Amino acid sequence: MAAPHGEQIHQQVQDYYGKELQKSKDLKTNACITSSRRLPKAVRDALERVHDEVVSRYYGCGLVIPERLAACRILDLGSGSGRDCYLLSQLVGEHGHVTGIDMTEGQVEVAKRHIAYHMEKFGYQKPNVEFLQGYMEKLGDVGLADESYDIVISNCVINLVPDKRAVLREAHRVLKPRGEMYFSDVYASQRPHETIQKHRVLWGECLAGALYWRDLYSIAEEVGFSTPCLVTASPITTGDKELEGILGDCRFVSATFRLFKVPESSRAGPGQVTYKGGIVGHEQELVFDANFTFKKGEVVDVDAEMAAILWSSRFAEEFQIRDGGAKTAAPQDCCYKGVKEKICNPFQLLEGPVALGPACHTGGTCGPPGCC
């Protein structure tokens, strides 16, 4: 029996999320359950205002709430019952906008029927959210135009799509220049073998379609994104002995990454940046990813790619950015004096610090193609 493909996978996933799963507690693994780490107060307060039915039908694997969202236009790929959309609706404000797209009719229906409730709850004069039924790898089919969103988010759903390249390609297309894709998903320590790939429950549980983590880097480069910035990672466990036997030595992790659509003109050399402390909720420090934490007023050496991201993105006015001067690294080189090599392997992040340097040749750390 060959692994399922295309429409067969879509149908299996729709059946699993539309029929078999009725509430979050029906899941058999913790792959699609958000980390229990403490949420910022603004997010906790916003979550309390989301309708109970929407929250109970939520199956995400991470917190996909990036910083500095006021007035942004956001697209949620695989929005499900709309929990993240209604959270973001409050954070972008009445002058922002959130679009959710999902292929499962039942989930979209749940999200849509609570629009009026939430707009009244938030005190908005008109809706700043909309929900569409469609495929995230075919955003043009539902009328989403080129360069129409500031941010694209996704929460534990890209693994459910057979064609990951198409998803990232479409996300890149609809993002405005300088935009960001901020997403959580499930990643594998190796390419899952065929027995895993053809298992219906493991597809629904977000494991069979998990991307080998290294493949994310090659796909991101191929479609035009910056090198992925690893933000957080959490281990995935299952208490089901049958599923554990099928998975064997293939390990899984839920991880959050951020990708940026950096204009070519913004790519220069490494630099030094100082965070001004102007982002609400992050006044003293901004934990940008697993490699860079910016404390207010502290000068930080950054590589060429991070300098370009901060310079060209919505974060530009939050930093004082200076050219690195004597450093002469190539635009995407991470291995020069003054900046540590980046951790980009989510499994390494779970295991804690390891030796850098030569490790980047063996999978301990990695960077853009040709780095190190």
Side-chain angles (χ1 to χ4, degrees), residues 168-184:
L168 266 67
R169 190 180 302 117
E170 279 291 86
H172 189 272
R173 178 183 67 79
V174 301
L175 273 174
K176 299 175 183 178
R178 302 173 172 80
E180 176 184 12
M181 183 175 183
Y182 187 97
F183 65 112
S184 293

Side-chain angles (χ1 to χ4, degrees), residues 230 233-235 251 253 290-291 340-356 359 363-365:
L230 173 63
S234 301
R251 295 184 296 149
V253 63
N291 294 287
K340 66 180 182 179
E341 292 170 15
K342 291 181 179 178
I343 298 173
C344 57
N345 178 345
F347 293 91
Q348 178 197 353
L349 189 60
L350 294 179
E351 294 162 0
V354 298
L356 299 180
T365 63

Side-chain angles (χ1 to χ4, degrees), residues 73-88:
R73 286 182 53 82
I74 300 179
L75 172 64
D76 184 359
L77 302 178
S79 53
S81 62
R83 193 207 77 158
D84 289 345
C85 289
Y86 287 124
L87 262 176
L88 292 163

Side-chain angles (χ1 to χ4, degrees), residues 48-293:
E48 289 179 359
R49 291 188 284 268
V50 178
H51 195 282
D52 287 344
E53 183 183 16
V54 171
V55 175
S56 72
R57 294 288 296 270
Y58 162 74
Y59 310 111
C61 70
L63 179 66
V64 288
I65 310 294
E67 312 83 8
R68 203 180 184 282
L69 301 180
C72 284
R73 286 182 53 82
I74 300 179
L75 172 64
D76 184 359
L77 302 178
S79 53
S81 62
R83 193 207 77 158
D84 289 345
C85 289
Y86 287 124
L87 262 176
L88 292 163
S89 167
Q90 300 170 73
L91 300 179
V92 300
E94 199 164 5
H95 298 294
H97 188 271
V98 182
T99 301
I101 181 170
D102 200 277
M103 69 177 180
T104 305
E105 182 179 4
Q107 290 283 75
V108 174
E109 287 177 352
V110 171
K112 282 184 173 181
R113 69 169 165 256
H114 296 298
I115 290 178
Y117 167 88
H118 287 102
M119 296 306 103
E120 181 179 355
K121 190 85 170 177
F122 305 160
Y124 292 170
Q125 295 299 309
K126 61 180 182 179
N128 71 341
V129 296
E130 63 176 337
F131 296 98
L132 307 172
Q133 184 177 356
Y135 298 105
M136 67 183 76
E137 65 269 50
K138 299 178 181 178
L139 299 178
D141 289 356
V142 292
L144 300 189
D146 294 357
E147 301 182 358
S148 52
Y149 290 93
D150 300 294
I151 303 169
V152 172
I153 69 162
S154 178
N155 200 336
C156 199
V157 290
I158 295 177
N159 66 84
L160 300 174
V161 177
D163 190 347
K164 274 73 168 172
R165 279 180 178 79
V167 175
L168 266 67
R169 190 180 302 117
E170 279 291 86
H172 189 272
R173 178 183 67 79
V174 301
L175 273 174
K176 299 175 183 178
R178 302 173 172 80
E180 176 184 12
M181 183 175 183
Y182 187 97
F183 65 112
S184 293
D185 214 81
V186 178
Y187 297 91
S189 60
Q190 56 188 270
R191 293 187 181 93
H193 55 72
E194 188 177 14
T195 304
I196 294 175
Q197 291 182 30
K198 69 183 183 183
H199 198 283
R200 186 182 63 84
V201 171
L202 289 176
W203 265 106
E205 292 287 328
C206 304
L207 301 184
L211 195 64
Y212 173 41
W213 71 270
R214 284 185 176 274
D215 289 341
L216 172 65
Y217 286 79
S218 59
I219 294 172
E221 180 194 24
E222 178 185 319
V223 304
F225 277 116
S226 61
T227 302
C229 300
L230 173 63
V231 181
T232 61
S234 301
I236 289 175
T237 59
T238 173
D240 190 300
K241 295 297 182 183
E242 179 185 351
L243 296 183
E244 287 178 356
I246 295 170
L247 296 175
D249 61 356
C250 188
R251 295 184 296 149
F252 296 87
V253 63
S254 62
T256 300
F257 285 92
R258 54 197 328 165
L259 313 178
F260 287 85
K261 188 174 180 177
V262 179
E264 196 62 37
S265 60
S266 298
R267 299 184 184 276
Q272 294 182 321
V273 302
T274 306
Y275 176 49
K276 300 176 183 178
I279 300 178
V280 176
H282 307 271
E283 290 84 358
Q284 296 307 310
E285 70 173 23
L286 173 63
V287 182
F288 195 82
D289 62 14
N291 294 287
F292 290 104
T293 294

